Amino acid sequence: MAAKLPYTVLSVFSSEGEGGNELAVVPKATDLTPAQKQAIAKTLGFAETVFLGEPVAGDGDNITTVSISIFGAATDSEIPFSGHPAAGAAWYLFGANTPAPPGSLVLEAMAGVVPVASKEGGIVCVSVPPGDFKVHAPHSIDELKTQQPALEGSGHYINSETPIVSMVKGMTFVMLEIASVEALAKMVPYPAQMPLPEGYLGAWAGSVIGVYAFVLEKDTVRARMFYGEGYEDAASGSAACALAGWLAGRGGRTRWVFTQGVEMGRKSEMDVSVDIDDEGDVAKVVIEGKATKVREGEVEVPKVE
């Protein structure tokens, strides 16, 4: 009989206990190989599955460190960082409604160290590794608009600027500002990943290139995220952080409430704040939101290398 591992399904960045982006959390994953983790992620079928290592207590500093690895059903390799798996892992490790101060728990992801905290009401706070935030050189992608037939004609797009931003290496997003929520609702997932010239991303090339379509109104953002071959994500923490970093870098506001997943029937809410240093660079990005437990299950450990 094949060995089985328990997993818990959470709805992360849920709004008032509903919606959110579903995530599988697999504890006791220390002995799994990357190939086994990838196979399990594809079997479970969620946008992302997060695998947890064993907690390691610090020597006299009251800091617990847990390694995490993130794999997706639509990807073929480990994802360096993603907002809702990190938030879901933190919520799972803290437990619901358990306030924990910053510095008490640190996640170690492929992209680096991720400090997390929690507040009353099951709100988790994730500090995104900021060192690799990058706004790439301007590049025009014709497919962004030609593959949205419902938005043909003028007036649906704010301007021709489509910033390409990486929150961390391996997670890059093309930002597409839309004129109205009505136009945003008419968009459809893209049939393939957006093409970028070979070598364009340099060291930031990796597993995900998404399109983050958004409507901006003062301190609120309505968004949709498309990636891969026809996929849409209900809540994209890394994309929201990338957009917030880009917006904050232009000056002015440094905090936004993001709403995503409405068109999928999975309304999600994320609160993102950005610290800008004296040189105008992104120094810190924090994303906050709620999570709820959906169900538990078991998955067979695949016999792959």
Side-chain angles (χ1 to χ4, degrees), residues 38-102:
Q38 183 66 76
I40 289 172
K42 289 184 180 294
T43 296
L44 294 178
F46 298 105
E48 284 148 331
T49 294
V50 62
F51 298 84
L52 308 183
E54 292 295 328
V56 177
D59 295 330
D61 56 9
N62 296 319
I63 298 176
T64 298
T65 300
V66 178
S67 64
I68 65 170
S69 49
I70 304 166
F71 290 81
T75 59
D76 294 314
S77 60
E78 184 174 354
I79 297 169
F81 173 83
S82 188
H84 92 277
W91 189 93
Y92 178 90
L93 291 163
F94 283 133
N97 302 313
T98 304

Side-chain angles (χ1 to χ4, degrees), residues 174-193:
V174 182
M175 305 300 179
L176 184 62
E177 188 170 4
I178 306 300
S180 67
V181 171
E182 292 75 19
L184 185 71
K186 294 178 181 179
M187 297 186 71
V188 295
Y190 291 90
Q193 183 168 276

Side-chain angles (χ1 to χ4, degrees), residues 117-156:
S118 69
K119 299 179 179 179
E120 291 284 357
I123 296 175
V124 292
C125 313
V126 177
S127 296
V128 183
D132 292 326
F133 176 85
K134 183 176 178 62
V135 179
H136 298 276
H139 177 70
S140 177
I141 304 174
D142 293 338
E143 289 87 347
L144 277 174
K145 298 178 181 179
T146 60
Q147 293 179 358
Q148 296 297 334
L151 301 189
E152 288 183 356
S154 61
H156 295 302

Side-chain angles (χ1 to χ4, degrees), residues 2-44:
K4 293 184 178 181
L5 282 176
Y7 68 89
T8 299
V9 178
L10 305 179
S11 185
V12 184
F13 298 133
S14 52
S15 173
E16 303 301 326
E18 299 180 352
N21 200 356
E22 287 196 326
L23 168 79
V25 181
V26 181
K28 304 177 181 179
T30 304
D31 295 332
L32 294 178
T33 67
Q36 287 175 315
K37 294 175 183 179
Q38 183 66 76
I40 289 172
K42 289 184 180 294
T43 296
L44 294 178

